[in-house]
């Protein structure tokens, strides 16, 4: 899938204005600050600046555009190559990873403005850093693992065809970044940990349930996953807005996963009804 | 196995492949594990590994490969600087590790017959690298993360994510009995007790500024252990990966698998009188460069291995041609070309890295050759660790027995000359009870790490040496850390509080981000691909000045909540301290070996330097003291490393290596003369 972009940035150095929504904690002292950051367009050998390199610039020069000294922006960051999921935030209103947001593409002209805000579906820790613990907790709820017997040597795992592998591989690229949840109208912020077990699980976790159900050994605990997705907050909470699949940076077929799990849950419920279990 | 005491706990610091594999092993043995990580473990730097994981497999075996060959290749690649017993054990365990990952559900690429597919990788002429697209590290990480989550639901592993390790707690007998850590959100500092501690915190890429590493790979945790008395081995051995994409914030890795799958490195050039000269229009569109004006630098110089020579060699060649004016557009870049390969195959096998190139460069590598340049990637050196050789090793070392290296043996009947699986000190540092797993230790890779051996060594440490942690804790069941007096813990916490208060109170004009950038610049310039005495001395002076400026720093943020300014400034201090042994080790090693290249001493010198560099921290001068230790080479006699020739008679070369994997070849052992198609 090509995401190729041709740089249209003007040559030489230009100034890009950052508007950043800051906070000292969840809903604490929320404020906007603006910074002017000099950016050199990506030439041979240097590569384009991205949102992270601009945040690094602000950290080294923590002064607002009005000349007020301030503190470096707090944000979550890791690999810088869009495989860890850390630096997810709202950039000009759209959820995505900051590392792969190239300035030459999103702010090609002198004076262009880039707006940064924290994700809204998770509590803010500080500035752009949010706490996505709920996402990982929800993976526990759906038994998102292959139930192996242990680490002793018991030979190879089940064989699979290249086609099956290609489908599973795509699903396995989910880095738990939360873009699909941010974009989803049904997934709402839930600060109370007690409610995490009944709130909507969201597309990422539904897709992971499909991933494990597709694996021969993983399928042995299929019932646990289908039970979890049959309950409150399960697959039936999906409102079919289909925002998730558009927001996914890894182009994981999330709506296919939701449809597949929706069918599986229906069949599971019918079987339960007739077997009386 | 003894029934574990419910009161005994093990701390694992670091949630990458080594830390997760170790946590799983220890939890499985029944001990409670407290797992600390700077980031949610699923986001650890191991996710950046791309190419694959090496292990002997049935197809390669029938073509003449073996666990022994994997062992020998690893030593040869590493220029024989490794202790041999741990490498022997690791390579013999490798096939079992692949099987286990396969059972955990890792989506390894498959052949038409649904077998696990294999690819070529640096330093080998056999396909022995298992892979999952070009995001193998990510896939392996997720499989281990899932198993850890399963143990978490059973209450056997407790995660402390967004917690930073500050120091080991060491008692008056010199035993490690816990750690001090800080919650990066609330900034709370507290101690944690443990009967054993495993450090699995990865490499120090950020000491070099921009590298292929993630932003948390500062080496601070290793530096803190070193400052508390842990010896540091081979600090000067830093791997510079030949193919990275230059970026404003980091150098993004372009996996060696691109070359393993047929990628070719070239520069535009003109041949005059049999000699290559720089191209008159080095910036011309690559696809319009006539075939006879393309200099395939690696293929020409290393006919046997071609583009899959080990990393240090490819890096020096690329660096060299750019220095000599052959770089693309006259700059510091060469082409890595995949455009001759079928698109569909590229997407299936390399999709992940092609996507990275598209997203960060804006060009499609299936259409246009990629532009790449070397970047700091991995540290072979790290915390010094010990091990116990298996029972028969001494016989080999003394010459009483010798390995017949032409034999492809039954791995179940291999000689016991690797590690003792029942020892309690495999990968334990010189501090009792403090272990080091994965990239943070100095074992396995010697002078250069072969591609796709890192994932292996990390998981091997976790699974195999995790057993040593279990043994260590079991044998100390009568001497519980839970019964220790609180005083030593309180003192350690107090020490960290003082350090924080001191950092917060500084009021000079310097900025920690600027100091780190300058450190990275000088380290990259003087202590990576080419080093010499003058440059290393210059760098030492520069680091000393940066230390003075560090003392004149002030923090822009002094708040007590989620203060990343403080944590970064603290890590910069630890990076400055770790830079010292990297430079001094390089200065003292007056030879060239693997990644350590000194034009002022261009040859390998086994007489004086077939030795591990040991750096010890001097708390008074804050500098390192360098000494040496013999390398255990009792299994394979070191020989000259020369990749212009294939290793042995009859072995395949890059041009006739078996190209297509097919169903097993039965009893016909491939001689390499033709291979399968």
């Amino acid at each position: 899938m090509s995401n190729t972009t041709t740089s249209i940035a003007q040559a030489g150095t230009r100034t890009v204005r950052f508007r950043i929504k800051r906070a000292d904690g969840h809903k604490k002292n929320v404020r906007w600050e603006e910074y002017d950051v000099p950016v050199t367009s990506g030439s041979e050998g240097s590569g384009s600046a991205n949102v992270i390199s601009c945040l690094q610039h602000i950290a080294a020069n923590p002064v607002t555009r009005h000349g007020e000294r301030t503190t470096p922006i707090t944000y979550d960051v890791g690999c810088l190559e869009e495989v860890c999921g850390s630096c997810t935030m709202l950039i000009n209103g759209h959820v995505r990873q900051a590392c792969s947001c190239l300035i030459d593409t999103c702010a090609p002209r002198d004076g262009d403005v880039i707006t940064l805000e924290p994700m809204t579906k998770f509590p803010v820790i500080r500035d752009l850093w949010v706490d996505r613990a709920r996402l990982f907790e929800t993976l526990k709820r759906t038994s998102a693992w292959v139930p192996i017997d242990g680490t002793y040597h018991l030979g190879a795992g089940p064989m699979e065809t290249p086609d099956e592998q290609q489908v599973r591989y795509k699903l396995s690229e989910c880095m738990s970044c939360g873009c699909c949840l941010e974009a989803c109208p049904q997934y709402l912020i839930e600060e109370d940990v007690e409610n995490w077990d009944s709130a909507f699980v969201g597309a990422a976790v539904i897709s992971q349930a499909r991933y494990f159900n597709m694996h021969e050994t993983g399928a042995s605990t299929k019932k646990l996953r289908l039970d979890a997705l049959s309950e409150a907050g399960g697959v039936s909470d999906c409102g079919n807005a289909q925002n998730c699949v558009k927001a996914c940076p890894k182009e994981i077929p999330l709506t296919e996963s939701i449809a597949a799990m929706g069918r599986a849950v229906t069949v599971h419920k019918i079987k339960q009804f007739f077997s009386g279990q | 196995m003894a029934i574990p005491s419910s009161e005994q706990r093990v701390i694992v610091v670091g949630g990458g492949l080594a830390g997760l594999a170790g946590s799983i092993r220890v939890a499985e043995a029944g001990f409670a594990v407290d797992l600390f990580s700077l980031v949610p473990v699923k986001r650890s730097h191991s996710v950046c590994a791309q190419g694959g994981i090496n292990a002997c497999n049935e197809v390669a075996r029938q073509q003449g490969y073996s666990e022994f060959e994997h062992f020998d290749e690893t030593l040869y690649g590493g220029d024989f600087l490794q202790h041999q017993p741990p490498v022997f054990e690791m390579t013999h365990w490798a096939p079992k590790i692949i099987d286990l990952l396969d059972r955990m559900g890792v989506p390894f690429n498959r052949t038409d017959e649904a077998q696990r597919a294999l690819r070529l990788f640096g330093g080998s002429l056999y396909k022995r690298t298992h892979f999952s697209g070009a995001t193998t590290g990510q896939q392996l990480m997720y499989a281990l993360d899932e198993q850890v989550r399963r143990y978490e639901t059973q209450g056997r592993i407790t995660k402390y994510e967004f917690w930073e390790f500050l120091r080991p707690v060491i008692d008056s007998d010199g035993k490690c009995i816990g750690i001090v850590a800080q919650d990066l959100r609330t900034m709370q500092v507290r101690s944690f007790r443990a009967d054993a501690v495993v450090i699995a915190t990865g490499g120090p890429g950020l000491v070099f500024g921009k590298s292929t590493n993630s932003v948390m790979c500062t080496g601070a945790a290793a530096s803190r252990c070193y400052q508390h008395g842990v010896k540091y081995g081979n600090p000067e051995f830093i791997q510079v990966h030949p193919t990275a994409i230059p970026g404003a914030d980091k150098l993004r890795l372009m996996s060696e698998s691109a070359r393993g799958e047929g990628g070719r490195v070239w520069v535009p050039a003109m041949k005059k009188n049999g000699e290559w000269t720089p191209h008159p229009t080095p910036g011309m569109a690559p696809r319009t460069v006539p075939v006879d004006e393309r200099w395939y630098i690696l293929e020409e110089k290393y006919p046997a291995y071609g583009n899959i020579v080990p990393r240090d060699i490819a890096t020096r060649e690329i660096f060299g041609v750019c220095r000599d004016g052959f770089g693309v557009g006259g700059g510091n870049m060469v082409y890595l070309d995949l455009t001759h390969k079928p698109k569909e195959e590229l997407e299936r096998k390399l999709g992940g890295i092609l996507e990275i190139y598209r997203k960060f460069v804006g060009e499609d590598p299936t259409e246009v050759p990629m532009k790449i340049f070397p970047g700091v990637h991995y540290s072979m050196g790290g915390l010094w660790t010990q091990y116990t050789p298996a029972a028969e090793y001494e016989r080999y070392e003394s010459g009483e027995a010798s390995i017949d290296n032409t034999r492809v043996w039954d791995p179940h009947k291999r000689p016991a000359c690797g590690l003792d699986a029942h020892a309690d000190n495999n990968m334990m540092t010189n501090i009792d009870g403090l272990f080091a797993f994965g990239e943070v230790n100095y074992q396995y890779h010697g002078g250069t790490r072969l591609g796709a051996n890192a994932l292996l060594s990390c998981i091997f440490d976790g699974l195999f040496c995790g057993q040593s942690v279990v043994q260590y804790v079991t044998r100390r069941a009568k001497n519980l850390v839970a019964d220790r007096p609180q005083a030593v813990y309180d003192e350690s916490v107090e020490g960290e509080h003082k350090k924080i208060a001191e950092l917060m109170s500084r009021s000079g004009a310097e900025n920690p981000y600027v100091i780190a950038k300058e450190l990275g610049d000088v380290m990259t310039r003087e202590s990576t691909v080419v080093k010499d005495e003058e440059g290393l001395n210059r760098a030492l002076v520069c680091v000393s000045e940066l230390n003075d400026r560090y003392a004149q720093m002030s923090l822009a943020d002094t708040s007590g909540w989620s203060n990343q300014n403080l944590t970064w400034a603290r890590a910069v201090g630890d990076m400055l301290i770790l830079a010292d042994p990297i430079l001094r080790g390089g200065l003292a090693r007056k030879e060239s070996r693997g990644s350590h290249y000194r034009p002022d001493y261009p040859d390998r010198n086994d007489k004086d330097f077939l030795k591990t560099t040991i750096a010890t921290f001097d708390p008074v001068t804050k500098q390192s003291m360098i000494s040496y230790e013999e390398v255990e080479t009792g299994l394979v006699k070191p020989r000259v490393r020369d990749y212009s020739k294939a290793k042995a008679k009859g072995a395949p070369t890059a041009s006739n290596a078996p190209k297509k994997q097919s169903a097993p070849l039965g009893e016909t052992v491939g001689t390499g003369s033709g291979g399968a198609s």
Side-chain angles (χ1 to χ4, degrees), chain A residues 146 158 168 211-220, chain B residues 102-105:
Chain A
V146 172
R168 283 208 315 121
Y211 172 71
F212 290 103
N213 282 2
M214 283 179 73
H215 186 267
E216 197 177 309
T217 314
S220 67
Chain B
D102 194 18
R103 284 170 50 223
M104 288 178 178

Side-chain angles (χ1 to χ4, degrees), chain A residues 4-274:
Chain A
T4 304
T5 44
T6 312
S7 174
I8 47 160
Q10 69 183 63
T13 301
R14 64 187 187 280
T15 301
V16 172
R17 179 158 300 168
F18 278 80
R19 287 188 72 230
I20 303 179
K21 190 177 188 180
R22 304 195 61 175
D24 293 344
H26 194 59
K27 294 181 182 165
K28 270 170 75 179
N29 190 21
V30 181
R31 62 206 185 271
W32 288 89
E33 281 183 5
E34 295 185 354
Y35 310 85
D36 283 343
V37 177
V39 174
T40 306
S41 92
S43 54
E44 296 289 303
S46 66
S48 170
N50 58 12
V51 167
I52 299 294
S53 69
C54 292
L55 288 171
Q56 289 172 342
H57 176 89
I58 295 170
N61 310 277
V63 179
T64 68
R65 78 179 178 92
H66 303 295
E68 294 149 356
R69 283 198 67 77
T70 180
T71 51
I73 315 291
T74 303
Y75 60 103
D76 200 359
V77 61
C79 72
L80 302 178
E81 47 196 58
E82 211 194 66
V83 286
C84 82
S86 294
C87 62
T88 310
M89 59 182 73
L90 297 179
I91 301 176
N92 293 338
H94 296 285
V95 66
R96 60 175 301 178
Q97 279 73 50
C99 65
S100 57
C101 183
L102 306 185
I103 306 300
D104 284 356
T105 312
C106 73
R109 289 170 306 272
D110 190 54
D112 278 351
V113 178
I114 296 176
T115 304
L116 305 181
E117 294 166 85
M119 297 169 86
T120 61
K121 302 294 173 74
F122 301 97
V124 171
I125 296 172
R126 186 175 169 183
D127 294 343
L128 302 172
W129 185 14
V130 297
D131 185 353
R132 283 170 280 182
R134 175 178 160 200
L135 178 47
F136 296 111
E137 282 302 311
T138 315
L139 287 167
K140 292 180 188 166
R141 188 170 145 197
T142 44
S143 308
W145 49 77
V146 172
I148 60 165
D149 282 350
T151 62
Y152 291 91
H153 189 223
L154 299 170
M159 285 171 64
E160 67 181 344
T161 66
D163 288 348
E164 290 163 345
Q165 184 270 345
Q166 287 291 298
V167 176
R168 283 208 315 121
Y169 176 79
K170 197 68 221 164
L171 302 182
S172 181
E173 281 191 296
C174 173
M175 53 189 181
S176 300
C177 65
C179 282
C180 58
L181 308 177
E182 182 67 26
C184 172
Q186 260 63 45
Y187 192 92
L188 306 174
I189 186 166
E190 183 51 73
E191 288 175 73
D192 187 351
V193 179
E194 297 294 312
N195 293 336
W196 285 359
D197 269 352
S198 56
F200 183 39
V201 293
V205 169
I206 295 171
S207 187
Q208 284 287 295
R210 177 181 175 217
Y211 172 71
F212 290 103
N213 282 2
M214 283 179 73
H215 186 267
E216 197 177 309
T217 314
S220 67
T221 44
K222 201 172 178 171
K223 189 178 170 301
L224 290 177
R225 293 184 203 102
L226 293 175
D227 282 344
L229 292 182
S230 305
E231 291 162 4
V235 71
S236 63
D237 280 24
C238 168
N240 206 24
Q242 309 204 8
N243 293 357
C244 53
V245 72
K246 290 173 215 140
C248 178
K250 296 288 137 184
E251 298 173 7
I252 296 169
L254 294 168
T255 42
E256 273 176 40
S257 289
I258 293 170
M261 293 316 287
R263 282 192 300 274
V265 162
T266 307
V267 172
H268 177 64
K269 279 183 180 163
I270 292 169
K271 276 188 186 162
Q272 271 182 326
F273 178 80
F274 284 107

Side-chain angles (χ1 to χ4, degrees), chain A residues 50 80 82 151 169 172, chain B residues 25 28 135 139 249 252 359:
Chain A
N50 58 12
L80 302 178
E82 211 194 66
T151 62
Y169 176 79
S172 181
Chain B
R25 191 56 141 181
E28 186 175 57
T135 61
Q139 305 312 316
D249 53 341
R252 294 182 176 83
K359 282 194 177 170

Side-chain angles (χ1 to χ4, degrees), chain B residues 48-88:
Chain B
C48 288
Q50 298 170 345
I53 175 167
N54 293 333
C56 182
N57 54 82
E58 285 315 306
V59 176
R61 194 186 301 285
Q62 291 168 53
Q63 291 167 341
Y65 196 68
S66 64
E67 283 83 354
F68 179 88
E69 278 296 317
H70 183 187
F71 165 60
D72 188 66
E73 277 170 3
T74 304
L75 298 177
Y76 190 68
D79 234 347
F80 294 95
L81 195 61
Q82 306 96 320
H83 294 303
Q84 295 184 359
V87 185
F88 186 90

